[in-house]
């Protein structure tokens, strides 16, 4: 499970970086929608990272 979560985290980070790069290259401020997507991705990334930590190196979890 950890491997799949790590791959998911990588895809989420990549998507977030694309949005941030697009916002940086655009003239003016990013749209509210772009800011919301970046923020939402950050929240999901943190949740996935937390789950990876909870599962530990074996991916078995802490007795749930």
């Amino acid at each position: 499970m950890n491997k799949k979560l790590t791959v998911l985290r990588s895809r989420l980070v990549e998507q977030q970086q694309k949005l941030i790069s697009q916002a940086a290259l655009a003239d003016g401020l990013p749209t509210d929608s772009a800011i919301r997507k970046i923020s939402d991705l950050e929240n999901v990334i943190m949740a996935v990272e937390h789950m990876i930590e909870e599962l530990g190196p074996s991916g078995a979890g802490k007795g749930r």
Side-chain angles (χ1 to χ4, degrees):
M1 179 63 123
N2 268 359
K3 195 170 243 182
K4 288 185 179 191
L5 288 170
T6 302
V7 170
L8 172 61
R9 183 197 173 280
S10 295
R11 290 194 318 254
L12 291 166
V13 168
E14 183 180 318
Q15 182 62 38
Q16 185 187 43
Q17 289 173 343
K18 284 181 187 177
L19 290 171
I20 292 170
S21 294
Q22 289 171 354
L25 294 172
D27 292 334
L29 294 173
T31 64
D32 288 345
S33 174
I35 292 170
R36 195 172 307 110
K37 286 179 185 178
I38 292 166
S39 176
D40 289 346
L41 283 166
E42 184 65 25
N43 289 331
V44 175
I45 291 165
M46 289 190 310
V48 170
E49 288 173 345
H50 179 73
M51 191 169 179
I52 290 169
E53 287 177 21
E54 284 287 313
L55 291 173
S58 66
K62 295 182 178 178
R64 285 189 187 188

